[in-house]
Amino acid sequence: MSIKQLCFDAHIQLRDQHGIAVRRTHLYELFAALLGFNSHAALAADAVIGQVRQVWKFTSDDLARLSKRCLALGYPTAESLRIVEAITALAETHRLAAVDVKYLVKLVAGDADRWDVDDDKMPDDVGIDQTSPWQDAPDLDLDSPLLIDALEQLAAKDHADAHFALALLLQCEAPEERDGHWYRQQLAGRRLDGPEKEWADDYAAALAQFDQYRHHLAAAARLGRSDAALEWAELTGEEGDLRHALSLAAPEHASRLLDLADRFGAVATVVPLLRQAALAGDVEAMRRLAEDIEPDPVEAWTWIHLAQLCGTDLTRMEAVYEDGSPADDDIPGSIFPVGGIDVPDISAEQHTVARQEAARRFDARRNR
């Protein structure tokens, strides 16, 4: 299923059932209008058409906007009524919804709760009263072929967010070489059937998915998405990819970049970013600075005291099971200590200095 197929279906239905000839290009415009946009170009700039899982009904405002667009395209009133009925019925049958690609990335990454629409960044011809129709579709079907097709069309235009959304949807591990025996046998011309054929086909599918994941992730990194560049550098382990990730890096990526930079003896390149992250409230960055980076014990304890003000005691030792869950005296299992970072102690006077500086940094962050 694709939006092209939907427009074709609408064209045939209107022609055969109602004798109305609607241009295919107009049908794109009409679906866009129903979904909250003043033009298909506005929708296609940064949004895609997807599907929701629940029953989907359009509002009277949606229908009024669609009717207005019909009339603006030159269709008589009587024909417009039939067109509105047909387009709406198809859209409701397929549970269509428009979704902003940046929001989609956050949704797939599990970070949609932090989404905030900035009206100033919306295209001029988006209906202002409909700037975020995707927020009314929380049950988006991420397996929808229509959604994937729309993302692939947008990615073909070098849209970084579309590439990254596809990469996240396709994200997977490379198939194990040892699992590819029957796949290689099939490539060599051996005729397979039964379980051997299934294993070969499963391996081929896994390999194809991993190749697609790499392709879209590499494209998103190349086109300037900082999170994609970091993930790509982690995947390749190449120093050049680390440098590219560093050139785009945001403070929230500092801890992951530190681990990556450590492979190449380039920790110093990440320290300024790590400090930015810590000053912004990233407790993990504070821990890394205190335990691994700061040569001055007073500065190390300043980060520990700042973490305490942010609600985390970095000196506290806890017992956990192997999976990281808290240990329980009533449940048997291997227990491991975590936390309790190892930092040289300082005098009471130095602790006072460190606490005062931590309080200053905490207040500075709150007052931004």
Side-chain angles (χ1 to χ4, degrees), residues 163-185:
H163 275 295
F164 194 46
L166 285 165
L168 291 173
L169 288 169
L170 292 163
Q171 191 172 38
C172 60
E173 298 288 339
E176 295 285 345
E177 183 72 15
R178 60 181 173 77
D179 295 332
H181 170 75
W182 293 110
Y183 168 75
R184 289 187 291 273
Q185 291 289 309

Side-chain angles (χ1 to χ4, degrees), residues 1-14 17 27 31 34-35 49-51 56 58 66 82-97 146:
M1 176 60 69
S2 66
I3 186 62
K4 181 178 180 180
Q5 182 64 49
L6 281 174
C7 288
F8 178 80
D9 292 346
H11 175 81
I12 295 299
Q13 180 180 330
L14 285 164
Q17 295 183 13
L27 288 165
F31 275 113
L34 181 63
L35 295 173
I49 296 177
Q51 296 169 284
W56 191 242
F58 291 94
L66 174 56
R82 295 295 188 188
I83 293 170
V84 168
E85 289 175 2
I87 294 294
T88 304
L90 267 174
E92 290 183 344
T93 296
H94 292 285
R95 306 180 309 281
L96 301 187
L146 192 149

Side-chain angles (χ1 to χ4, degrees), residues 342-364:
D342 184 18
V343 178
D345 204 1
I346 55 178
S347 68
E349 292 79 6
Q350 289 173 314
H351 270 296
T352 298
V353 171
R355 286 192 180 92
Q356 289 174 343
E357 175 59 18
R360 186 193 68 77
R361 294 177 188 179
F362 185 73
D363 289 340

Side-chain angles (χ1 to χ4, degrees), residues 279-293:
L279 290 171
D282 186 333
V283 173
E284 175 59 17
M286 298 175 202
R287 185 188 70 77
R288 301 296 292 272
L289 285 165
E291 190 169 36
D292 303 325
I293 305 296

Side-chain angles (χ1 to χ4, degrees), residues 106-125:
K106 288 186 173 291
L107 181 65
V108 179
D111 198 24
D113 289 343
R114 294 172 56 190
W115 173 254
D116 183 31
V117 174
D118 185 349
D119 288 352
D120 293 336
K121 295 181 180 180
M122 300 300 294
D124 291 339
D125 57 352

